Amino acid sequence: MTDLIRSAGLSYYPEVARSVGLDPKHMMRKVRLPLACLDKPDTPIAVTGLRRLLELSAEASGAEDFGLRLAERGGLTNFGAVGLIVREQATVGEAIEAFSRFIPIHHDGMKLDVTRNKQTVTVTLHLRGRQPAAPRQSIDMALGSVHRIIQSLFGSDWRPQEVHLHYPPPLDRKRFREFYGCRVTFNAEADSILLSAHDMERRIPSAHPLIASYLRKRIEAIETRPASWEEKVDEVVRLLLAGGDCTVERVAEHLACTRRTIHRHLAEAGTSFSAILDAQRADLVVQLIDDPGRPLADIAVQLGFSAQSAMARWFRGHFGCTITAWRKGARPLAATAA
């Protein structure tokens, strides 16, 4: 199953890529990531595509700390609603627990385990993937981002006790010590950050309990991420239709696969791309035609029809009346039931 991540994780990619002599658009085309996702931070993209981009960028530029450079520029804002709820918790401990619980909403292949003893709290990163362990740049970006978020709750003077990384040491260990501000152990059993148990009780001055409660209710409503191929294709189709650029090829780009793969998995699930597209069109079209000032020709283009007449025929077949009649209040029983 293809894991997805919000494209906000790439917010600083163009800046970092240029700083090491790379053309960001060229690199993204190489790994077939949609360029439009740079302008839309909530766009779901395949984790495999992001991983290939990071590894290829590090290799092409010679910057073995490429993942750290991305983490260095990021912060809570890169995590959307998850970042907001973390920021509003009363203590650092509650913030870390909230981050651990809700991170799959941002990245459904990422998991954080938080374990405690009397002196130490260990935050361990797990990135799901086909390999025994995720590629190094992805680990650096993810664990580095966790470090930056915890640091933002304390202030720039805070340092963890230790950082453990499972992969062999890089050529420049100093860069990692400077980034984390503590001892960094390589060839470790896991990828983790160790901090003092006392740190977990630190109050967050900017926290607002009412906002935290409101955000928690909102985020709990969307806590379950799409798990099946059908659900993930449906999510991407809904987003791309709203932007007026939805084809099976574009969906395949976001899921880092081929159109044939999409058709095969959907057939196994007893549905098809056309059925999902048709259902999402039906949901969106009734919202768009409710605006009498919106030209029908523009709506047809956004929904991917070849012409306004094609949309008109589809609408009548789907809803049992014309668009004009619908705008006048006609609601056939079959359409209402659907």
Side-chain angles (χ1 to χ4, degrees), residues 232-296:
K232 291 191 175 186
V233 170
D234 186 76
E235 179 186 31
V236 177
V237 166
R238 184 169 62 251
L239 184 141
L240 293 181
L241 263 185
D245 182 19
C246 183
T247 63
V248 67
E249 289 81 10
R250 295 281 287 115
V251 173
E253 276 188 350
H254 284 257
L255 298 179
C257 65
T258 66
R259 57 182 294 170
R260 182 176 296 180
T261 300
I262 290 177
H263 289 313
R264 174 168 55 83
H265 283 294
L266 293 181
E268 291 170 355
T271 186
S272 67
F273 181 79
S274 297
I276 292 175
L277 177 62
D278 203 45
Q280 287 296 338
R281 276 175 168 170
D283 186 54
L284 184 57
V285 72
V286 295
Q287 301 175 46
L288 297 177
I289 65 174
D290 275 345
D291 179 3
R294 187 187 291 266
L296 292 181

Side-chain angles (χ1 to χ4, degrees), residues 4-297:
L4 300 178
I5 182 173
R6 292 174 61 252
S7 59
L10 285 175
S11 296
Y12 293 96
Y13 175 76
E15 176 186 334
V16 174
R18 293 188 191 100
S19 73
V20 293
L22 299 178
D23 178 343
K25 292 183 178 180
H26 173 70
M27 299 301 293
M28 289 181 67
R29 290 191 190 99
K30 268 192 170 185
V31 299
R32 298 181 61 197
L33 276 175
L35 297 179
C37 72
L38 293 174
D39 301 317
K40 299 175 182 178
D42 284 323
T43 303
I45 58 173
V47 171
T48 52
L50 175 62
R51 287 179 178 175
R52 286 199 303 269
L53 179 66
L54 298 184
E55 295 300 319
L56 188 61
S57 297
E59 181 182 349
S61 65
E64 62 176 356
D65 64 338
F66 195 89
L68 280 188
R69 294 181 186 225
L70 278 173
E72 202 165 35
R73 288 164 171 77
L76 285 169
T77 55
N78 289 92
F79 292 85
V82 177
L84 290 176
I85 197 170
V86 168
R87 186 185 63 187
E88 299 299 336
Q89 299 305 304
T91 67
V92 170
E94 291 174 14
I96 292 174
E97 293 289 349
F99 192 47
S100 172
R101 174 181 173 181
F102 294 117
I103 189 59
I105 294 174
H106 170 76
H107 180 336
D108 57 17
M110 180 174 170
K111 179 184 176 185
L112 293 175
D113 283 336
V114 182
T115 57
R116 303 187 185 206
N117 59 35
K118 290 183 179 180
Q119 286 80 35
T120 306
V121 173
T122 303
V123 181
T124 303
L125 170 73
H126 302 279
L127 294 178
R128 186 166 56 200
R130 294 180 183 176
Q131 299 174 312
R136 175 180 151 181
Q137 300 301 327
S138 296
I139 293 169
D140 286 347
M141 178 181 170
L143 195 66
S145 295
V146 173
H147 166 73
R148 292 286 290 176
I149 286 172
I150 297 174
Q151 190 176 55
S152 72
L153 301 174
F154 284 103
S156 58
D157 292 338
W158 175 83
R159 299 289 184 270
Q161 292 182 336
E162 291 182 38
V163 168
H164 295 172
L165 294 167
H166 85 273
Y167 56 76
L171 295 176
D172 184 7
R173 298 190 189 198
K174 182 181 177 183
R175 171 75 173 103
F176 285 75
R177 288 196 300 271
E178 289 175 346
F179 177 84
Y180 288 108
C182 67
R183 177 187 175 189
V184 180
T185 300
F186 297 91
N187 289 320
E189 293 184 359
D191 303 300
S192 54
I193 295 175
L194 283 65
L195 58 155
S196 168
H198 179 71
D199 287 343
M200 301 290 273
E201 309 306 319
R202 177 81 68 90
R203 307 288 300 180
I204 301 175
S206 62
H208 196 298
L210 291 179
I211 294 178
S213 176
Y214 169 76
L215 288 170
R216 182 175 291 273
K217 291 176 182 177
R218 291 294 301 272
I219 205 168
E220 283 173 349
I222 59 172
E223 186 171 1
T224 303
R225 287 281 306 171
S228 67
W229 272 93
E230 182 179 357
E231 291 171 323
K232 291 191 175 186
V233 170
D234 186 76
E235 179 186 31
V236 177
V237 166
R238 184 169 62 251
L239 184 141
L240 293 181
L241 263 185
D245 182 19
C246 183
T247 63
V248 67
E249 289 81 10
R250 295 281 287 115
V251 173
E253 276 188 350
H254 284 257
L255 298 179
C257 65
T258 66
R259 57 182 294 170
R260 182 176 296 180
T261 300
I262 290 177
H263 289 313
R264 174 168 55 83
H265 283 294
L266 293 181
E268 291 170 355
T271 186
S272 67
F273 181 79
S274 297
I276 292 175
L277 177 62
D278 203 45
Q280 287 296 338
R281 276 175 168 170
D283 186 54
L284 184 57
V285 72
V286 295
Q287 301 175 46
L288 297 177
I289 65 174
D290 275 345
D291 179 3
R294 187 187 291 266
L296 292 181

